[in-house]
């Protein structure tokens, strides 16, 4: 497929290629859909094997952001940027040059942190454009989004528990967290506060040790995680962990965690979970707290507002799981439908009174 066909297949509005040889910048900005508002999404730095691979990634990721913002009820569209290169190419100049490209779009695209980019990089981008979020607290940004993300995940787990067990009460419920990093740590904290029993796994032993010390519980290693007889598996590490190989091992009735792209293959693995009667809280719905946090930063709203909005993930997750049950479709399909409905409704409203 040529790039225009690829854009058309996924419904993209605009794709921008930008370069600056002095600082080694080769970047692609994907603007998927701005019906709901400016396209927001992180800037990923990655050593893609080819431009075609980078383009595929930016198209896929920017489309995902449209759905995430829509389902979270935000006035944002979906966008994403990729810089092609090794993290070793990072420099003030690289991010300032990227910032100028963002600035040239006049606010149609707003950037943020993503894989291999951090607060310092966002600060450099912000020297050239105001269309950047996720800056450090010291420079007026909202700082680490993980506490807000984990708060949304916590409420998404409660909502799934309400549908599956008839109550959102997590006291005494067993939750197994994969990945005790930024999101996993705060999730453990919130669950511990309401009396859940915790089980952890992480390839980084120090992170497990911190959770064990602060919140109690026990640890498991490797594949033992997937076969645990617990109430909830909460993946908060990497993507693709629910797949053909791990699904036969699953014994938990709920999968709900903060990681992105939990299902290795959205359709096939989603259907396999449905057949096993396992309730899956769609990743982009339950982990939208990070996006809600940067949206609050953009709007100049306090952290408390971001936390409240993130807690509303409870009602969205509940609605989606019930809709999926009612229609006999996967929760991912139900979430996509809900997001598309919101975009269509807003698009119709925005067409009202044009020219009158
Ligand atoms: P992080 O790097 O702080 O934590 C990830 C943890 O997972 C690390 O402790 C790492 O050692 C562990 N890990 C990696 N591979 C593992 C494996 N194979 N088995 C077990 N543990 C493993 O990252 P984070 O910010 O906590 O993000 C976690 C996930 O949540 C990612 O998928 C991220 O995309 C997603 N997410 C994060 C946010 C946020 O606000 N930070 C928002 C939305 C989504």
């Amino acid at each position: 497929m040529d790039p225009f066909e690829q854009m058309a297949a996924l419904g993209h509005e605009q794709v921008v290629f930008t370069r600056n040889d002095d600082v080694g910048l080769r970047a692609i900005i994907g603007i998927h859909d701005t019906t709901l508002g400016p396209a927001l999404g992180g800037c990923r730095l990655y050593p893609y094997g080819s431009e075609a691979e980078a383009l595929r990634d930016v198209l896929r990721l920017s489309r995902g952001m449209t759905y995430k913002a829509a389902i979270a009820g935000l006035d944002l569209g979906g966008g994403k940027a990729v810089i092609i290169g090794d993290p070793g190419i990072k420099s003030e100049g690289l991010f300032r040059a990227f910032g100028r490209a963002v600035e040239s779009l006049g606010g149609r695209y707003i950037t943020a942190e993503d894989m291999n980019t951090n607060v310092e990089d966002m600060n450099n981008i912000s020297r050239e454009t105001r269309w950047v979020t996720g800056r450090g607290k010291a420079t007026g940004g909202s700082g680490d989004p993980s506490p807000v993300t984990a708060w949304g995940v916590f409420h998404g787990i409660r909502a799934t528990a309400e549908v599956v067990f008839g109550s959102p009460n997590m006291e005494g419920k067993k939750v197994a967290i994969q990945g005790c990093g930024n999101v996993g740590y705060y999730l453990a904290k919130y669950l511990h506060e309401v009396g859940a029993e915790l089980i952890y796994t992480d390839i980084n032993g120090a992170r497990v040790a911190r959770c064990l010390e602060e919140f109690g519980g026990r640890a498991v290693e490797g594949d033992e995680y997937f076969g645990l007889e617990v109430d909830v598996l909460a993946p908060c590490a990497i993507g693709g962990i629910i797949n053909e190989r791990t699904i036969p091992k699953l014994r938990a009735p709920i999968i709900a965690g903060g990681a992105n792209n939990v299902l290795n293959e959205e359709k096939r693995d989603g259907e396999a979970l449905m057949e096993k009667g396992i309730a899956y809280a769609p990743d982009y719905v339950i982990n939208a707290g990070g996006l809600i946090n940067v949206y609050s930063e953009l709007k100049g709203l306090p952290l408390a507002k971001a936390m409240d909005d993130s807690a509303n993930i409870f009602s969205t997750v509940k609605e989606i799981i019930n809709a999926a049950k009612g229609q006999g479709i996967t929760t991912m399909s139900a979430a996509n439908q809900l997001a598309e409905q919101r975009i269509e409704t807003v698009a119709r409203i925005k067409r009202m009174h044009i020219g009158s």
Side-chain angles (χ1 to χ4, degrees):
M1 264 198 267
D2 74 28
F4 280 114
E5 282 172 348
Q6 281 177 270
M7 283 174 71
L10 296 178
H12 282 76
E13 290 178 11
Q14 188 178 10
V15 175
V16 177
F17 283 70
T18 186
R19 53 160 277 280
N20 183 313
D21 294 344
D22 292 339
V23 292
L25 176 71
R26 284 190 304 151
I28 313 174
I29 299 171
I31 296 179
H32 177 253
D33 189 299
T34 56
T35 306
L36 298 178
L40 190 144
C43 168
R44 178 169 290 196
L45 172 61
Y46 192 77
Y48 292 100
S50 66
E51 286 86 16
E53 199 186 303
L55 177 64
R56 266 199 307 279
D57 210 30
V58 80
L59 292 178
R60 177 181 70 83
L61 295 167
S62 53
R63 181 174 181 272
M65 290 307 294
T66 296
Y67 282 77
K68 191 170 198 162
I71 207 94
L74 305 175
D75 292 335
L76 288 176
K80 202 87 183 185
V82 295
I83 299 179
I84 303 170
D86 193 79
I89 69 166
K90 277 193 183 194
S91 67
E92 175 193 331
L94 180 87
F95 287 103
R96 289 184 79 145
F98 175 73
R100 294 196 68 83
V102 172
E103 177 64 16
S104 75
L105 293 167
R108 276 178 56 71
Y109 168 67
I110 304 169
T111 199
E113 276 179 64
D114 201 81
M115 193 185 286
N116 294 328
T117 59
N118 57 30
V119 168
E120 192 191 332
D121 305 328
M122 296 307 116
N123 289 342
N124 277 326
I125 292 170
S126 74
R127 294 158 89 171
E128 300 296 339
T129 184
R130 66 194 162 107
W131 305 114
V132 53
T133 59
R135 284 169 299 133
K137 277 207 165 121
T139 48
S142 56
D144 178 14
S146 313
V148 185
T149 302
W151 189 235
V153 174
F154 170 68
H155 286 285
I157 290 175
R158 291 178 60 250
T160 316
E162 181 164 299
V163 179
V164 173
F165 306 127
S167 162
N169 188 350
M170 295 305 293
E171 193 179 352
K173 289 275 187 280
K174 293 192 178 79
V175 183
I177 300 175
Q178 183 190 43
C180 303
N182 292 319
V183 175
Y185 170 81
Y186 284 105
L187 178 62
K189 179 173 186 285
Y190 301 144
L191 285 165
H192 173 67
E193 280 164 7
V194 297
E197 259 182 60
L198 299 172
I199 298 155
Y200 319 97
T201 187
D202 195 305
I203 49 173
N204 180 332
R207 292 195 168 166
V208 172
R210 178 171 73 151
C211 283
L212 284 172
E213 193 184 312
E214 291 188 34
F215 316 124
R218 68 186 177 95
V220 295
E221 280 187 16
D223 263 14
E224 189 186 343
Y225 177 77
F226 297 101
L228 286 170
E229 259 185 84
V230 291
D231 298 295
V232 181
L233 288 184
C236 298
I238 50 168
I241 55 123
I242 298 298
N243 54 43
E244 252 176 346
R245 193 180 62 80
T246 57
I247 289 173
K249 301 180 200 236
L250 300 175
R251 288 195 282 180
I254 294 175
I255 297 176
N260 275 316
N261 307 316
V262 168
L263 304 182
N264 194 39
E265 281 192 29
E266 186 178 309
K267 187 170 183 307
R268 186 198 63 196
D269 299 330
E271 284 170 358
L273 290 182
M274 192 169 76
E275 274 161 30
K276 277 189 84 141
I278 296 172
Y280 170 63
D283 52 2
Y284 76 85
V285 180
I286 194 169
N287 73 19
L291 181 60
I292 291 170
N293 189 55
V294 291
Y295 182 71
S296 289
E297 176 182 332
L298 270 179
K299 296 275 172 188
L301 301 168
L303 176 66
K305 169 77 173 129
M307 291 295 264
D308 284 353
D309 288 349
S310 209
N312 284 338
I313 287 174
F314 183 98
S315 51
T316 313
V317 166
K318 204 173 139 185
E319 183 181 351
I320 287 166
I321 295 182
N322 281 327
K325 267 175 128 182
Q327 297 177 59
I329 57 175
T330 64
T331 50
M332 236 8 199
S333 300
N336 292 347
Q337 270 183 14
L338 197 65
E340 284 162 11
Q341 274 163 17
R342 177 161 181 254
I343 295 168
E344 273 167 35
T345 305
V346 174
R348 274 200 299 276
I349 289 165
K350 288 193 172 178
R351 283 197 292 271
M352 280 170 72
H353 309 305
I354 288 177
S356 63

